[in-house]
Amino acid sequence: MVSTASYEARAFGVGSGMPLRIAARKVPDAVILPVDQEAYLAASETVMATLRAQPGVTVQVLGWDEAFMGIETENPEAIARQVQAAVLERTQLHCSVGIGDTLVRAKVATGFAKPAGVFRLTAGNWSDVMGSRPTRDLWGVGTKVSGRLAKLGINTVAELAASDPQDLVPEFGPKMGPWYAELGRGDGAGVVDDTPWVARGHSRETTFQRDLTDPAQVDDAVRELTARVLEDVLAEGRPVIGLTLKIRYAPFVTTTRARKIPVTSDGNEILAGALGLAAGIEAGRPIRLLGLRAELAMPDDARKGHTPTRGGW
DNA sequence: TCTGGGGTCCTAGGACCC
DNA sequence: TCTGGGGTCCTAGGACCC
């Protein structure tokens, strides 16, 4: 699949998540490169180091190519241009900068800054810029939630912003309901948190080119996944407290099944646990995907559940 | 066209306890 | 024998993000 595409390719309708075959049909002379994680990670580290080197900033990394920078200034655009120049000089990479008075506004602003630009979104222009847009354009609202909001008569960001947070509780629960209303207003945390990231777990998964039917194949696959997960876990050096085997049966749309068991960090016990979970697989049903996740013990002081930013780093 | 891989957090419901 | 009410913990599944 296409992980990402250049702006030139996007002009032809190519984008993330598209099967390669389709992309190649749309742009027959496109240059298609394999994923090179090591190169991206190295570039990412240089970029993040460049951000951290800026005077007076707090940096919160969101992914390989994205970070919040916290700073108080009278002229954020000047800082933005300065950062872009510094990143370009050190890495030959262009970046876009969204400026905001909350994390959500800054994040959403980045979309308007692309490519390689700067855009400011604050309480002052939020409703002008975002109000008439579909809720799907918000960071944290996907197709499912925008559909459920539509059922409640909420289609635009302005309508979401005007909604009573309590009215959303029956549909989305005590936490997510009020949070969506806040999201509609662009409100929320305004402070960048540079607390070092603590991983909650590590996982590996494989989609098989040919569905697995033979128990011996499943056994092999589980052993291989376990070894790969263990690599990350050992590098982490923290205790494993749970193990989940994800099973996706062949017609792709059928449900994913997961089973969790408590386990200790001993490699043999983890393998035994994974194999035990695999023993629960329905006999004879072709398997399309297997995934194994090890949940790690959290240090007592680790924060949990206070940020709307899922998929942290 | 129909699907990659690695993550996080929330919710509902059941089990169990007092 | 059946029932109140409150709390915690755990699991399975859902949704979203990069």
Side-chain angles (χ1 to χ4, degrees):
Chain A
M1 296 182 70
V2 176
S3 298
T4 189
S6 66
Y7 289 103
E8 291 85 345
R10 285 171 203 227
F12 288 84
V14 173
S16 321
M18 182 178 284
L20 283 178
R21 193 174 305 143
I22 310 305
R25 203 178 65 201
K26 286 179 182 283
V27 197
D29 56 343
V31 176
I32 298 178
L33 299 173
V35 170
D36 185 348
Q37 298 191 50
E38 283 181 29
Y40 310 151
L41 186 56
S44 176
E45 282 169 357
T46 306
V47 170
M48 299 310 166
T50 306
L51 302 189
R52 291 195 180 96
Q54 301 299 308
V57 307
T58 304
V59 174
Q60 180 179 349
V61 179
L62 279 193
W64 277 353
D65 67 344
E66 202 158 22
F68 283 118
M69 292 180 72
I71 188 162
E72 279 193 41
T73 170
E74 289 301 310
N75 191 352
E77 278 78 7
I79 306 271
R81 294 297 179 190
Q82 204 175 294
V83 168
Q84 288 176 320
V87 169
L88 183 61
E89 196 201 329
R90 286 201 45 190
T91 63
Q92 297 179 280
L93 294 169
H94 294 271
C95 57
S96 307
V97 181
I99 296 167
D101 50 356
T102 65
L103 299 186
V104 164
R105 293 200 187 101
K107 166 66 180 170
V108 173
T110 312
F112 297 108
K114 292 176 183 179
V118 176
F119 194 89
R120 194 204 285 219
L121 204 46
T122 62
N125 64 348
W126 172 261
S127 62
D128 284 347
V129 175
M130 293 298 294
S132 62
R133 291 182 170 262
T135 56
R136 179 68 181 84
D137 287 3
L138 292 167
W139 183 41
V141 175
T143 52
K144 301 288 183 185
V145 168
S146 66
R148 286 162 73 188
L149 285 168
K151 267 194 330 197
L152 301 177
I154 297 169
N155 292 289
T156 65
V157 171
E159 286 163 355
L160 183 57
S163 67
D164 182 336
Q166 290 312 310
D167 290 350
L168 301 177
V169 171
E171 177 65 25
F172 298 104
K175 201 143 189 167
M176 298 308 282
W179 183 64
Y180 288 128
E182 188 176 60
L183 198 58
R185 301 190 304 267
D187 288 344
V191 178
V192 175
D193 181 352
D194 63 353
T195 309
W197 183 251
V198 183
R200 273 71 169 161
H202 291 294
S203 70
R204 285 288 184 279
E205 69 179 53
T206 310
T207 302
F208 303 107
Q209 294 306 307
R210 293 186 53 207
D211 298 339
L212 262 44
T213 49
D214 180 2
Q217 293 177 314
V218 173
D219 193 90
D220 285 349
V222 169
R223 286 172 189 277
E224 202 247 315
L225 281 175
T226 305
R228 286 165 60 204
V229 169
L230 234 37
E231 243 177 74
D232 270 14
V233 167
L234 294 176
E236 191 84 39
R238 288 160 52 208
V240 173
I241 57 170
L243 211 55
T244 304
L245 186 70
K246 183 168 152 185
I247 307 158
R248 191 169 258 166
Y249 293 102
F252 203 78
V253 287
T254 53
T255 53
T256 286
R257 298 256 246 88
R259 289 278 179 279
K260 189 174 162 185
I261 57 161
V263 80
T264 69
S265 304
D266 178 80
N268 291 325
E269 190 183 330
I270 289 172
L271 177 59
L275 290 171
L277 289 171
I281 287 173
E282 291 178 44
R285 256 181 104 182
I287 290 165
R288 176 70 50 91
L289 174 153
L290 282 179
L292 186 67
R293 174 181 164 85
E295 190 184 322
L296 297 168
M298 293 298 291
D300 289 343
D301 58 344
R303 64 217 157 106
K304 189 153 189 167
H306 87 298
T307 99
T309 63
R310 292 119 136 168
W313 196 260

